[in-house]
């Protein structure tokens, strides 16, 4: 089954395409609203599911395709393993290579998730410290809102081997990318103090909580200018959510989950490793009999397991191309819709978005009424639980400690991170709006939500 790719609708003034052209679909071939509802009919009824960012969403046709792959393996495992598995995974890797504009398919590995990719990269850096290629006290730079699993991998592989960690504290709410760039430059300067070197910079493409699109190309360019050895972009939310061109971004390592915004079943991600002299030193943390044959081959066999989530990528691309504009059309419509819904909520609640629309992907941070008195992470979790249990709304809540008041942001310490995916409707966001307004009318504060 040969994949079909849509035209590449590129933002940021770029004028070249990297996805293979395909004939434009006729209007009658495009997916309809009723077909979209059928594809996601397995979602629990009565729940306003506006948290695609956490676990993504897999269409029914892809779930069926996954089952076919599973049965194909189970019918004759020996034949499938010996004669088909590797070339089928290579087909999936080739599709991703084209989607992200990698130079070589050897640069693309398929792994379980972004957490696995972080372990691969940070294990590599940890060995460099342990073997004396990096000096004790040399630094790894990361954003303060890096994903917790990345922080734990740094702890497990880097700090115990003698590396130091420099944390970039980003302000929030954000008003411009300049604030991010300024704080990042400060962190690099700190890492280079006293003759030390910054060996690795870890940059989120889209931070998870709070959710902000980071000017990743600008930060990578700064890293090159400042002599940072390697750059790892943690883009767990990126593919299907923002445009991804690994050549333009220019990082050494780039990972994105395919089950969040690319409609794959859990769990599968790609790890791009730019071809370089260090490539042979990258290894999967699960050592199997392919060890030493290159990361992509190692990752394609880590023992007997279910590889079907990696094998359905051709069918996923076919599903995506049923939408007008393909992957770019989906993400642009999702972005426009989430900003429209976010502004509807801020108008109703008398608050603001946490960052400008052009710094939001298909998710955005919406300020919550100060009267809810969200004063801790525990308060945020309790409010989230109340929205789910009482109102049937699934949405993450972020607590933001106030350090410096800005005009119009006084006392706003809580934000709802809303997502928009193709299955969402306006009613989902109205349900959230009305739930918050009811809590405010009832005089509810987060202190009242604490379980006994």
């Amino acid at each position: 089954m040969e994949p079909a790719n849509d035209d590449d609708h590129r933002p940021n003034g770029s004028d070249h395409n990297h996805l293979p052209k395909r004939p434009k679909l006729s209007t009658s071939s495009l997916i309809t609203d009723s077909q979209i509802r059928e594809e996601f009919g397995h979602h629990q009824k009565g729940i306003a599911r506006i948290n695609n960012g956490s676990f993504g969403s897999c269409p029914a046709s892809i779930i069926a395709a996954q089952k076919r792959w599973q049965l194909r393996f189970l019918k004759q495992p020996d034949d499938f393993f010996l004669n088909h598995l590797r070339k089928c995974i290579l087909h999936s890797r080739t599709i991703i290579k084209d989607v992200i504009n990698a130079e070589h398919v050897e640069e693309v590995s398929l792994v379980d998730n972004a957490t696995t990719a972080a372990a691969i990269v940070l294990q590599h850096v940890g060995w460099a410290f342990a073997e004396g290629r990096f000096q004790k006290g040399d630094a790894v730079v990361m954003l303060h809102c890096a994903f917790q699993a990345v922080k734990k991998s740094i702890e497990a592989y880097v700090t115990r081997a003698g590396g130091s960690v420099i944390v970039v504290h980003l302000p929030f709410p954000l008003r411009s990318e300049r604030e991010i760039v300024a704080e990042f430059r400060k962190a690099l300067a700190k890492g280079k103090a006293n003759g030390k070197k910054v060996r690795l910079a870890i940059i989120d493409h889209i931070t998870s909580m709070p959710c902000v699109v980071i000017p990743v190309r600008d930060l990578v360019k700064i890293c090159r200018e400042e002599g940072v050895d390697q750059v790892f972009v943690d883009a767990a939310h990126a593919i299907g959510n923002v445009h991804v061109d690994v050549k333009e971004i220019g990082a050494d390592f780039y990972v994105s989950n395919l089950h969040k915004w690319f409609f794959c079943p859990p769990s599968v991600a790609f790890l791009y490793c730019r071809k370089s002299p260090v490539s042979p030193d990258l290894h999967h943390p699960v050592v199997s009999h392919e060890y030493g044959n290159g990361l992509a081959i190692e990752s394609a066999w880590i023992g007997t397991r279910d590889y079907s989530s990696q094998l359905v990528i051709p069918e996923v691309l076919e599903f995506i191309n049923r939408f007008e504009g393909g992957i770019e059309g989906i993400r642009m419509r999702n972005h426009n819709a989430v900003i429209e819904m976010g502004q509807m909520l801020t108008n109703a609640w008398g608050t603001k978005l946490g960052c400008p629309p052009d710094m939001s992907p298909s998710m955005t941070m919406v300020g919550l009424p100060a009267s809810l008195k969200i004063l801790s992470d525990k308060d945020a979790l309790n409010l989230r639980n109340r929205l789910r249990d009482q109102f049937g709304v699934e949405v993450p809540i972020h607590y933001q400690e106030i350090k410096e008041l800005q005009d119009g942001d006084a006392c706003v310490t809580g934000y709802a991170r809303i997502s928009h995916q193709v299955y969402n409707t306006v009613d989902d966001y109205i349900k959230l709006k009305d739930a918050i307004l009811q809590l405010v009318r009832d005089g509810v504060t987060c202190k009242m939500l604490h379980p006994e």
Side-chain angles (χ1 to χ4, degrees):
M1 183 182 299
E2 291 298 321
N5 288 314
D6 206 326
D7 294 346
D8 180 27
H9 301 269
R10 296 186 48 76
N12 303 320
S14 213
D15 59 1
H16 62 279
N17 296 329
H18 63 71
L19 292 183
K21 303 282 188 177
R22 70 169 175 85
K24 292 186 179 297
L25 294 175
S26 67
T27 304
S28 61
S29 300
L30 295 174
I31 194 167
T32 65
D33 289 344
S34 64
Q35 289 172 332
I36 292 173
R37 289 193 295 271
E38 289 174 5
E39 287 282 8
F40 299 98
H42 53 282
H43 288 181
Q44 184 175 338
K45 307 302 181 191
I47 300 293
R49 181 173 169 163
I50 46 181
N51 182 28
N52 192 84
S54 286
F55 299 105
S57 51
C58 187
S61 59
I62 303 304
I63 296 171
Q66 180 181 30
K67 185 175 181 179
R68 290 194 297 271
W69 280 109
Q70 291 168 335
L71 289 175
R72 184 176 170 187
F73 169 74
L74 293 171
K75 284 177 181 178
Q76 225 299 29
D78 303 80
D79 176 63
F80 189 76
F81 166 66
L82 292 169
N83 298 316
H84 303 287
L85 179 62
R86 182 177 290 193
K87 68 180 181 181
C88 290
I89 290 179
L90 176 60
H91 185 195
S92 292
R93 289 169 49 215
T94 302
I95 290 172
I96 297 303
K97 175 251 181 192
D98 291 339
V99 170
I100 67 174
N101 197 27
E103 187 72 29
H104 307 285
V105 72
E106 290 80 8
E107 296 174 321
V108 177
S109 301
L110 295 180
V111 296
D112 282 356
N113 45 46
T115 300
T116 303
I120 290 168
V121 173
L122 289 165
Q123 175 182 255
H124 163 72
V125 173
W127 285 337
F129 278 104
E131 294 167 358
R133 287 176 282 127
F134 294 168
Q135 300 302 310
K136 304 291 185 182
D138 284 352
V140 170
V141 170
M142 71 172 186
L143 307 187
H144 84 278
C145 47
F147 197 60
Q148 189 66 17
V150 174
K151 294 178 180 179
K152 291 294 185 181
S153 285
I154 292 173
E155 179 183 334
Y157 295 115
V158 176
T159 56
R160 70 179 295 179
S164 65
V165 181
I166 307 295
V167 179
V168 183
H169 290 278
L170 300 183
F172 188 83
L174 276 162
R175 294 294 171 256
S176 74
E177 293 179 346
R178 290 191 299 274
E179 298 172 89
I180 298 173
V181 171
E183 294 301 318
F184 190 76
R185 286 189 180 279
K186 289 178 188 176
L188 291 184
K190 184 177 180 182
K192 293 168 63 178
N194 302 317
K196 297 297 183 181
K197 293 184 177 180
V198 177
R199 298 299 187 172
L200 179 72
I202 304 173
I203 305 169
D204 298 73
H205 198 159
I206 302 171
T207 56
S208 178
M209 193 69 93
C211 171
V212 176
V213 177
I214 301 297
V216 63
R217 280 178 289 181
D218 293 341
L219 298 192
V220 172
K221 185 172 182 288
I222 290 168
C223 287
R224 302 307 184 199
E225 294 168 352
E226 296 296 326
V228 176
D229 279 15
Q230 296 175 329
V231 181
F232 172 36
V233 175
D234 179 2
H237 286 274
I239 190 167
N241 203 348
V242 292
H243 186 76
V244 176
D245 183 327
V246 293
K247 287 182 187 175
E248 284 190 351
I249 292 166
D252 300 282
F253 314 108
Y254 188 102
V255 62
S256 188
N257 288 318
L258 297 168
H259 58 263
K260 283 186 182 290
W261 294 93
F262 201 72
F263 300 106
C264 284
S267 59
V268 59
F270 75 83
L271 172 60
Y272 162 81
C273 301
R274 187 172 64 172
K275 204 169 184 179
S276 74
V278 308
S279 300
D281 286 337
L282 293 163
H283 296 285
H284 198 285
V286 177
V287 177
S288 190
H289 65 248
E290 294 288 4
Y291 180 83
N293 291 328
L295 179 61
I297 302 302
E298 289 182 19
S299 301
W301 183 258
I302 55 171
T304 303
R305 62 183 292 275
D306 183 1
Y307 291 90
S308 60
S309 57
Q310 300 181 7
L311 300 174
V312 297
I313 289 173
E315 289 89 345
V316 170
L317 190 62
E318 287 187 356
F319 172 80
I320 287 170
N321 284 333
R322 294 169 64 191
F323 291 81
E324 185 176 2
I327 188 82
E328 293 295 326
I330 291 171
R331 75 166 190 85
M332 287 189 286
R333 286 189 293 275
N334 281 336
H335 167 76
N336 292 338
V338 85
I339 296 302
E340 182 182 354
M341 293 299 97
Q343 291 171 340
M344 179 271 289
L345 293 172
T346 58
N347 290 338
W349 299 340
T351 59
K352 291 184 176 182
L353 297 180
C355 66
D358 62 358
M359 295 179 70
S360 295
S362 301
M363 304 183 286
T364 195
M365 305 298 293
V366 184
L368 289 161
S371 63
L372 293 172
K373 298 188 184 303
I374 302 169
L375 303 177
S376 67
D377 291 330
K378 186 176 181 181
D379 285 346
L381 179 59
N382 288 334
L383 177 58
R384 177 177 184 174
N385 291 338
R386 174 60 66 92
L387 289 170
R388 179 193 303 118
D389 297 341
Q390 182 178 343
F391 298 100
V393 175
E394 189 62 69
V395 65
I397 305 297
H398 171 66
Y399 163 65
Q400 180 68 40
E401 180 183 1
I402 292 179
K403 294 184 178 179
E404 182 178 344
L405 295 181
Q406 301 184 39
D407 291 343
D409 297 318
C411 300
V412 174
T413 56
Y415 292 81
R417 188 193 76 183
I418 64 171
S419 299
H420 191 281
Q421 188 47 286
V422 296
Y423 55 81
N424 285 120
T425 67
V426 173
D427 289 344
D428 295 330
Y429 306 92
I430 291 175
K431 196 169 185 177
L432 170 60
K433 179 199 72 172
D434 292 344
I436 294 297
L437 291 177
Q438 182 175 324
L439 291 174
V440 170
R441 284 195 302 270
D442 293 344
V444 173
T445 66
C446 285
K447 184 176 182 180
M448 300 163 63
L449 302 178
H450 285 194
E452 295 298 330

